[in-house]
């Protein structure tokens, strides 16, 4: 009778059999309560009931655990699942939007679990439901669902007479006729078979007409496609369509088309459509407001960027001219005036930087690049600058560094510099006498990170407890009145805290009025491989080096020329424009330029022309240094494509300029240091008692110009001679023309890496009997890297950056083998 297979679980098999027996015995109405009892026991739930919907509420035909015979529409759970055609299980109704705010959920009895099977008539109209509920959230097993499904089908077949079914069906129809939703049934093609009063009166159509006639013209095709899909696939189809109501207004309806299958074919489709016009209008307003806010932020960011650029341009000239004056003969009073002027200029630039940072935060354009940097050196440079700003005050500015700090940190150096600079500037501003000090220490260490603590201590005015919460608010100052003693825009501390948070750190302050303040922060830095040390450029000799300068701003050009000529005795030529500069580069064949400084304020853009110059075989392209403004966007990929590996921001600082020069010269060194290949006789094997370092022939394979320059300088310091190549293919070509005793092999190189080059060298050696001593030089220092190098045929292994004593040991190990004949 039921058409169900009995589950293998014996307990639930018993419940199913008893359910079938209960339904079939006696009159239907007399056995509904017994049926509810069996359902409640099967679910181990306190309450189960059978209810039918009417226009007055849910009529309870049978129940277990409850004596109610009527439930209002407001409290009926069945009304919330009236569009379902299969059993429903809700593990926690408090989290289901269909039951949001339901009084039986939010108040007594506090229902959490709910399961129900819909009771349908022969046309699949919803009449009511068999429901079971519990106060505890949980799930239902397949066997429990089988009991519920069987009970629903059996109720339809056995408990109601035709009059009861017709009456229930009529109640169902009345319920939906009075519904504010649009209830429709359609035939293939969209012909309207049935519609409730809401649909007919609002859309102004009649049964027999096409639902497509009521759709807005620009949405009719989408509705037609959805209707065709339902009848072609026989599956549910979600629709959202704009219709025209009887007033000529557009309304948006959404719902689901549900097909009715007969003979394996969809014969009609039903839908309950809800008017979501107000919601869509609200969403559109939100979207427009969001777009307007984003556009306003973009315009403001662009405006602030332009304004800051206009401010920085004359500031470049001011700071440059001050630097020029400071390098001349001045008395003590004049020097003091100039230092005060320079301090004021630096403070103004700091405010501009903070404004530009705030605009970048709102415009979501912050740089988050991680680099390896010398933490101690970075902090010392900041303190040196702040010390100049503190001139004229009775303040001692100092820096205290923990010896346990890592030599090299990995992180966003620019953000860290801005944080510490803002805190030190704030401390100097609010301290009239005493001291301002920066303390940096290793707070703790994890397997992956160093957590470093920064403290800026001052003996200034201090801060009251009630004012501490306002410290880190933008544009907020504690003495914000018209007669306030301290200048500033109120951005420094807010900017600092925001930057700290973006780096995953925390920041706070300890202070008391009249006792000074300690601003502290902790930031986690990813660990850098052991042995990595800062790269120094202290041995770089720039005297007599020929350079070319192209700068559209006369003041900036004059300052740059002063640094190059006075500080480093370089030979400087100045180009009046880009075409002149290009011609000067072409003509400098006998005495080529080593560095070309240029800015982007040129017409045409110099980057494409530089790419052309790189392809010109008659030109020795120098190291390229791009002059930029602080905060200006940089297209790193375009710079690299044009051969630019160094840039320096204006206003020009001597230290930053020297770093850019060292990088540019290192990049350019391969053009000047690469040996001219000539055939030479193979030197006899060395038998050295006192090692003659000058006679050892060394070939370095290294693609990174800065690393190549560093290693070549180290070898020179150790008294060795060396040639260099940029990749494994070049190395193999050189080895066919010259003989070398030692090969220093970088492992990661383009075209051919060190591993492949070593394997090929060993293959060639097996044919001629000679052998080179190959020393691996690699930045990889993980477990197994040494073994991989040795497995490729290398003789020794050095981790980068290479220490002088390690490099010397490796080379002299080869010399010792020659001496002993091993």
């Amino acid at each position: 009778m039921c058409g169900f297979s009995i589950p293998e679980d014996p307990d639930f098999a018993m419940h199913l059999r008893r359910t079938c027996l209960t339904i079939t015995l006696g009159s239907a109405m007399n056995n509904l309560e017994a049926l509810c009892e069996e359902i409640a026991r099967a679910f181990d739930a306190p309450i189960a009931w059978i209810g039918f919907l009417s226009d007055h509420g849910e009529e309870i035909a049978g129940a277990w655990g409850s004596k109610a015979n009527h439930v209002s529409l407001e409290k009926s759970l069945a009304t919330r699942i009236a569009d379902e055609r299969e059993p429903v299980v809700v593990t926690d109704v408090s989290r289901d939007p269909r039951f949001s705010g339901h009084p039986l959920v939010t108040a007594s009895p506090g229902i959490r679990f709910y399961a129900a099977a819909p009771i349908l008539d022969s046309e699949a109209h919803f009449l009511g439901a068999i429901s079971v509920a519990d106060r505890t959230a949980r799930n239902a097993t397949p066997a429990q669902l089988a009991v519920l499904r069987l009970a629903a089908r059996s109720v339809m077949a056995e408990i109601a007479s035709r009059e009861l079914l017709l009456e229930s069906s009529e109640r169902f129809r009345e319920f939906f006729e009075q519904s504010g939703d649009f209830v429709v049934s359609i035939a293939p093609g969209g012909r309207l078979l049935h519609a409730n009063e809401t649909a007919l009166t609002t859309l102004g159509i009649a049964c027999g007409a096409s639902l497509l006639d009521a759709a807005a013209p620009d949405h009719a095709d989408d509705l037609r496609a959805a209707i065709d899909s339902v009848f072609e696939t026989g599956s549910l189809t979600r629709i959202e369509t704009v219709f025209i109501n009887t007033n000529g207004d557009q309304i948006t309806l959404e719902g689901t088309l549900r097909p009715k299958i007969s003979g394996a074919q969809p014969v009609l489709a039903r839908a309950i459509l809800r008017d979501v016009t107000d919601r869509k209008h609200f969403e559109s307003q939100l979207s427009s407001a969001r777009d307007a806010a984003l556009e306003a932020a973009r315009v403001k960011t662009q405006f602030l960027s332009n304004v800051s650029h206009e401010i920085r341009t004359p500031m470049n000239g001011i700071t440059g001219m001050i630097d020029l004056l400071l390098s001349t003969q001045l008395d003590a009073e004049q020097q003091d005036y100039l230092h005060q002027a320079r301090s004021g200029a630096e403070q103004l630039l700091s405010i501009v930087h903070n404004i530009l940072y705030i605009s970048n935060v709102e415009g979501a354009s912050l740089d988050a690049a991680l680099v390896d940097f010398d933490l101690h050196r970075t902090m010392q440079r900041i303190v040196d600058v702040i010390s100049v700003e503190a001139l004229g005050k009775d303040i001692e500015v100092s820096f205290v560094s923990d010896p346990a700090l890592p030599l090299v940190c990995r992180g966003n150096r620019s953000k860290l510099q801005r944080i510490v600079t803002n805190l030190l500037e704030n401390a100097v501003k609010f301290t009239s006498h005493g001291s301002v000090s920066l303390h940096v220490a290793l707070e703790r260490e994890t397997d992956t990170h160093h957590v470093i603590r920064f403290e800026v201590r001052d003996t200034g005015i201090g801060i009251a407890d009630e004012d501490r919460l306002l410290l880190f608010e933008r544009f907020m100052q504690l003495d914000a009145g018209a007669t306030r003693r301290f200048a500033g825009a109120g951005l420094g501390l807010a900017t600092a805290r925001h930057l700290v948070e973006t780096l995953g750190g925390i920041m706070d302050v300890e202070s008391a009025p009249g006792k000074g303040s300690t601003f502290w922060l902790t930031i986690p830095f990813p660990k850098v491989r052991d042995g990595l040390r800062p790269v120094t450029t202290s041995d770089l000799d720039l005297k007599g080096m020929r350079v070319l300068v192209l700068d559209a701003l006369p003041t900036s050009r004059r300052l740059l020329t002063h640094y190059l000529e006075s500080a480093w005795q370089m030979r400087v030529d100045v180009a009046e424009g880009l075409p002149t500069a290009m011609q000067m580069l072409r003509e400098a064949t006998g005495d080529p330029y080593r560095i070309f400084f240029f800015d982007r304020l040129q017409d045409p853009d110099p980057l494409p022309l530089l790419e052309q110059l790189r392809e010109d075989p008659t030109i020795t392209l120098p190291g390229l240094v791009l002059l930029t403004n602080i905060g200006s966007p940089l297209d790193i990929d375009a710079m690299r494509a044009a051969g630019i590996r160094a840039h320096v921001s204006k206003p020009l600082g001597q230290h930053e300029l020297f770093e850019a020069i060292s990088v540019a010269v290192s990049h350019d060194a391969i053009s000047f240091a690469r040996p001219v290949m000539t055939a030479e006789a193979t030197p006899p094997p060395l038998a050295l008692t006192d090692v003659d370092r000058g006679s050892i022939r060394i070939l370095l394979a290294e693609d990174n110009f800065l690393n190549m320059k560093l290693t070549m300088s180290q070898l020179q310091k150790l008294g060795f001679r060396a040639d260099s190549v940029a990749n494994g293919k070049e190395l193999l070509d050189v080895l066919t023309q010259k003989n070398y005793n030692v090969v220093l092999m970088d492992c990661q190189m383009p075209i051919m890496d060190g591993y492949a080059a070593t394997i090929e060298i060993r293959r060639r050696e097996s044919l001629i009997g000679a052998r080179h001593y190959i020393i691996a030089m690699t930045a990889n220092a993980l477990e197994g890297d040494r073994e991989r190098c040795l497995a490729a045929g290398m003789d020794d292994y050095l981790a980068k950056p290479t220490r002088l004593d390690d490099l010397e040991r490796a080379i002299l190990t080869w010399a010792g083998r020659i001496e002993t004949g091993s």
Side-chain angles (χ1 to χ4, degrees), residues 110 145 191 195 385 498 614 695-696 754 779 815:
L145 286 176
R191 184 170 59 88
V385 173
H498 187 275
R614 291 178 62 203
S695 65
I696 301 176

Side-chain angles (χ1 to χ4, degrees), residues 637-699:
D637 292 335
M639 287 176 54
R640 289 177 177 171
I644 302 171
R645 296 298 185 272
H647 68 277
V648 62
S649 299
K650 302 176 185 178
L652 298 173
Q654 186 171 343
H655 189 91
E656 292 78 4
L657 182 60
F658 183 80
E659 284 191 348
I661 292 172
S662 66
V663 172
V665 172
S666 299
H667 284 204
D668 178 51
I670 192 141
S671 299
F672 293 86
R674 186 173 297 167
V676 177
M677 304 305 174
T678 58
E680 293 184 1
T682 301
L686 298 177
L688 304 175
T689 303
D690 295 324
V691 176
D692 181 6
R693 301 191 179 199
S695 65
I696 301 176
R697 299 297 308 278
I698 301 172
L699 180 60

Side-chain angles (χ1 to χ4, degrees), residues 297-499:
R298 187 195 66 79
V299 171
K300 182 169 67 172
T301 298
Q302 185 63 45
F303 171 75
L304 291 174
S305 180
N306 292 339
V307 170
S308 65
H309 171 76
E310 293 301 321
I311 295 174
R312 287 195 306 269
T313 299
M315 286 303 302
N316 293 341
I318 294 172
T319 56
M321 294 305 297
I322 291 174
D323 284 341
L324 288 176
L325 282 174
L326 285 172
S327 65
T328 62
Q329 294 295 326
L330 303 170
D331 59 34
E333 185 179 19
Q334 290 170 333
Q335 287 224 0
D336 180 63
Y337 290 159
L338 285 175
H339 282 303
Q340 292 291 344
R342 178 62 190 246
S343 177
E346 292 290 347
Q347 291 174 11
L348 178 57
L349 280 175
S350 178
I351 294 173
V352 173
H353 295 165
N354 285 331
I355 293 174
L356 187 59
Y357 168 77
I358 294 298
S359 69
N360 285 336
V361 169
E362 296 177 350
S365 58
L366 285 178
D367 176 27
L370 299 181
V371 296
D372 293 340
F373 64 95
D374 183 344
L375 178 63
H376 185 279
R377 184 180 178 188
T378 300
M379 295 297 102
Q380 185 64 62
R381 286 173 55 192
I382 296 174
V383 172
D384 291 343
V385 173
I386 299 299
S387 298
V388 175
E389 295 185 15
L391 292 175
K393 282 190 169 187
D394 184 19
I395 301 175
E396 178 187 0
V397 181
S398 61
F399 172 40
V400 180
S401 178
D402 181 1
L405 285 171
L407 292 174
V408 175
C409 280
R410 176 166 297 154
N412 192 309
R413 178 170 57 179
S414 62
K415 287 187 179 182
L416 180 62
Q417 288 173 320
R418 176 52 40 196
I419 293 167
V420 177
T421 298
N422 284 6
L423 293 180
L424 286 171
E425 288 177 343
N426 183 77
V428 169
K429 180 195 303 183
F430 292 100
T431 303
S432 57
H433 63 275
S435 64
V436 171
S437 59
L438 170 64
H439 297 252
V440 184
L442 179 64
E443 181 170 275
R444 65 181 184 277
E445 184 177 354
T446 69
D447 292 340
T448 58
H449 286 75
H450 290 112
V451 180
I452 298 177
R453 182 181 179 92
F454 302 79
E455 291 186 0
V456 174
R457 306 174 187 174
D458 66 64
T459 58
I461 61 176
I463 305 162
D465 287 342
E466 60 269 21
D467 293 331
R468 288 175 58 189
L469 295 178
L470 302 177
L471 273 178
F472 303 106
E473 296 296 325
R474 293 183 192 173
F475 313 110
M476 186 64 88
Q477 293 181 309
L478 301 186
D479 64 330
T483 60
R484 61 192 180 98
R485 294 175 293 162
F486 303 101
L491 284 173
L493 294 179
T495 300
R497 169 170 272 190
H498 187 275
L499 284 171

Side-chain angles (χ1 to χ4, degrees), residues 37-55:
E37 178 183 1
E38 291 303 321
I39 295 172
R41 288 178 177 176
F43 278 79
D44 193 21
I47 182 171
W49 70 96
I50 300 173
F52 296 89
L53 294 181
S54 70
D55 52 353

Side-chain angles (χ1 to χ4, degrees), residues 137-149:
R138 56 190 177 89
N139 212 329
T141 66
Q144 290 171 332
L145 286 176
V147 170
L148 199 60
R149 190 176 283 107

Side-chain angles (χ1 to χ4, degrees), residues 596-614:
F596 177 29
F597 298 91
F598 67 98
D599 62 16
R600 293 296 297 274
L601 303 177
Q602 309 293 331
D603 188 18
D605 188 347
L607 295 189
L609 295 180
L610 289 174
E611 295 182 15
Q612 296 177 17
L613 289 176
R614 291 178 62 203

